[in-house]
Amino acid sequence: MKKDTHPDYHLIKVQMTDGTVFETRSTWGKEGDTLQLDIDPSSHPAWTGGNQRLLDAGGQVARFNKRFGGLSLKKN
């Protein structure tokens, strides 16, 4: 195997958005650096379920029904 083909793999600390810290191995930064996350599983909507809005934004459904409400797919 060739020398110097793999990046330096070392221990770093990862700080979550809620302040908890854990230690892991990574190629990011230098030995002992702390990676502060902006988004993590405790704060991202993909993992938390998010706050989905099912509201009709700006009356889009009403506007659609006004334009196309009289159309029918039935043949006469």
Side-chain angles (χ1 to χ4, degrees), residues 3-75:
K3 288 188 174 233
D4 300 326
T5 58
H6 296 286
D8 180 32
Y9 194 59
H10 49 270
L11 286 173
I12 65 165
K13 293 178 182 173
V14 178
Q15 183 176 3
M16 307 287 268
T17 56
D18 64 359
T20 58
V21 177
F22 66 92
E23 201 169 67
T24 188
R25 293 179 55 85
S26 175
T27 58
W28 180 87
K30 296 178 290 216
E31 178 86 25
D33 282 353
T34 300
L35 174 64
Q36 294 181 345
L37 299 179
D38 295 330
I39 298 174
D40 63 24
S42 65
S43 66
H44 194 279
W47 288 285
T48 62
N51 297 329
Q52 295 178 340
R53 293 187 315 154
L54 298 177
L55 302 174
D56 178 18
Q60 291 178 358
V61 173
R63 207 171 27 221
F64 178 86
N65 287 335
K66 183 178 177 185
R67 286 181 73 184
F68 303 108
L71 294 179
S72 175
L73 297 176
K74 296 178 187 175
K75 290 186 178 184

